Amino acid sequence: MKEKLKKAVALVPALLLAGCSAELPEPSVEDAADAVASTTAAAVRRAANDAQTLRGVFYQGGATGWADGDSVSIYTLGSMLHNVYTLSDGAGTAEGTFVRTSGKDNYTNSGQLYGLTNCRYLYSISATMEGQAQIAVTLPWRLTFQDVCAAAGTSRMPIPYWSPVSFASDGKLRGEFRGLTAMLRVDLQALPEDTRAVVLTTHSYTDLNEGSLDEGDGEALSGTFSTVLEEGAALAVNPIFTSRDTLRVAVDRQSADYRYVYIPVISNRYSRLHVIAVTGDTKYRYDWRGALLQTFTSATAFEPNTIVDLDIDTGIRPVRR
């Protein structure tokens, strides 16, 4: 009897194993190979992510081309530090390759990445209560020639262009950079000979040589502006700060290396936006000697990430010497 019981107990593990084999068949050789290949491919993709290189493209024609010396900083909301990338290839084209020249962040589990072209007028970058990135930019009422000048085939960005940045399929960082304002492009070769500055003004009363121009509504042209970095982002007046209804850009017509100046235009529409070639100043504000180049009205939309060309007709007003 004891001998029979021992044989019966000995059969139980075998029966259990047999039952398990029937319910969970062993994977085939093909299934195992597929699993290994999938794991290997995922590891290769992770290894391919390379934070050393950034490819930057101008989005939908918002700028003409990158220029030598252009650089981009990439920010995250989880760190005060950021990497800096400097243009290494693609000057004069809308697609540039940038290499990391500062910073060590490899962006592993960093969340959303924000690329901003570098300029000296970025005031701040911070997080909103909703966890979005917002920036503030201070545009002074006087810009230097170096702030705005550009050679033919390139653009100048006195205020940042921005892009969401992520790793592309080739493992490189990629961003599509777009402007936060429109850019007014002025051909230096078309300016009156003695032009020392280009002034934009929306002031309600402006004197130019022989009398006042049509009154404007004083919309903002310079000051501190802010926006949340999201689809359709555009700089707008920040009520915490003051703004001005003029923007003056110095001009150097003797600099043969440059063809255009790019002037940021904040508002979308203006009742009257006067663009003046200044050949002489007076002691009074809003009083200039020179020529009216063009007046924009509300019929012209200054859409963010667009270039608006100035239609210069120097015969509109004579230059008083």
Side-chain angles (χ1 to χ4, degrees), residues 2 4 37 94-95 97 103 110 112 115 141 151 172 180 183 192 198 204 211 221 244 251 269 277 279 301:
K2 289 182 180 179
K4 290 182 179 179
E95 181 168 351
T97 300
S110 295
Q112 178 62 58
W141 71 276
K172 309 296 185 184
L180 295 167
M183 285 290 180
V198 172
S204 59
L221 290 166
R244 299 185 64 161
V251 168
R269 295 179 188 272
T279 58

Side-chain angles (χ1 to χ4, degrees), residues 181-182 219-221 235 237 265-270 301-303:
T181 70
E219 299 96 336
L221 290 166
L235 288 177
V237 173
V265 179
I266 297 296
S267 296
N268 188 270
R269 295 179 188 272
Y270 298 87
F302 290 91
E303 299 286 350

Side-chain angles (χ1 to χ4, degrees), residues 207-263:
D207 268 345
L208 182 65
N209 294 356
E210 300 171 354
S212 61
L213 305 177
D214 293 337
E215 292 188 359
D217 287 341
E219 299 96 336
L221 290 166
S222 54
T224 300
F225 310 96
S226 61
T227 188
V228 173
L229 296 181
E230 59 186 0
E231 187 67 29
L235 288 177
V237 173
N238 188 322
I240 298 175
F241 301 98
T242 59
S243 59
R244 299 185 64 161
D245 54 10
T246 59
L247 177 59
R248 182 187 180 101
V249 176
V251 168
D252 178 6
R253 291 201 44 167
Q254 305 306 312
S255 184
D257 294 334
Y258 303 105
R259 174 68 186 271
Y260 300 99
V261 295
Y262 286 84
I263 305 173

Side-chain angles (χ1 to χ4, degrees), residues 47-307:
N49 283 353
D50 177 15
Q52 295 283 344
T53 305
L54 165 69
R55 290 199 177 96
V57 180
F58 283 126
Y59 181 68
Q60 294 185 352
T64 303
W66 297 102
D68 289 330
D70 281 344
S71 63
V72 171
S73 289
I74 295 181
Y75 298 85
T76 72
L77 294 183
S79 173
M80 294 292 290
L81 304 176
H82 59 273
N83 290 351
V84 178
Y85 296 80
T86 302
L87 185 72
S88 63
D89 185 56
T93 72
E95 181 168 351
T97 300
F98 297 74
V99 295
R100 186 167 66 184
T101 51
S102 176
K104 299 179 180 179
D105 198 336
N106 289 318
Y107 304 121
T108 303
N109 301 321
S110 295
Q112 178 62 58
L113 307 180
Y114 300 90
L116 290 169
T117 59
N118 287 313
C119 73
R120 58 179 175 158
Y121 298 124
L122 177 63
Y123 180 79
S124 67
I125 178 168
S126 58
T128 67
M129 295 296 292
E130 293 75 26
Q132 295 175 287
Q134 65 178 359
I135 66 168
V137 175
T138 297
L139 186 64
W141 71 276
R142 297 175 75 102
L143 292 173
T144 70
F145 183 63
Q146 290 300 320
D147 285 330
V148 296
C149 64
T154 67
S155 294
R156 185 70 70 182
M157 294 165 280
I159 58 175
Y161 277 50
W162 86 281
S163 174
V165 174
S166 59
F167 287 104
S169 59
D170 64 356
K172 309 296 185 184
L173 291 165
R174 189 177 190 279
E176 295 183 341
F177 289 82
R178 67 287 311 269
L180 295 167
T181 70
M183 285 290 180
L184 182 65
R185 180 165 57 190
V186 181
D187 187 343
L188 292 170
Q189 296 182 2
L191 291 174
E193 183 178 354
D194 296 335
T195 301
R196 65 171 66 171
V198 172
V199 167
L200 277 60
T201 180
T202 62
H203 191 59
S204 59
Y205 178 80
T206 299
D207 268 345
L208 182 65
N209 294 356
E210 300 171 354
S212 61
L213 305 177
D214 293 337
E215 292 188 359
D217 287 341
E219 299 96 336
L221 290 166
S222 54
T224 300
F225 310 96
S226 61
T227 188
V228 173
L229 296 181
E230 59 186 0
E231 187 67 29
L235 288 177
V237 173
N238 188 322
I240 298 175
F241 301 98
T242 59
S243 59
R244 299 185 64 161
D245 54 10
T246 59
L247 177 59
R248 182 187 180 101
V249 176
V251 168
D252 178 6
R253 291 201 44 167
Q254 305 306 312
S255 184
D257 294 334
Y258 303 105
R259 174 68 186 271
Y260 300 99
V261 295
Y262 286 84
I263 305 173
V265 179
I266 297 296
S267 296
N268 188 270
R269 295 179 188 272
Y270 298 87
S271 60
R272 294 287 187 278
L273 171 59
H274 302 300
V275 184
I276 300 167
V278 174
T279 58
D281 295 285
T282 74
K283 63 181 180 179
Y284 303 107
R285 292 183 62 187
Y286 306 109
D287 183 8
W288 297 279
R289 289 188 289 272
L292 174 66
L293 300 175
Q294 189 172 354
T295 295
F296 294 96
T297 67
S298 59
T300 298
F302 290 91
E303 299 286 350
N305 198 51
T306 62
I307 297 173

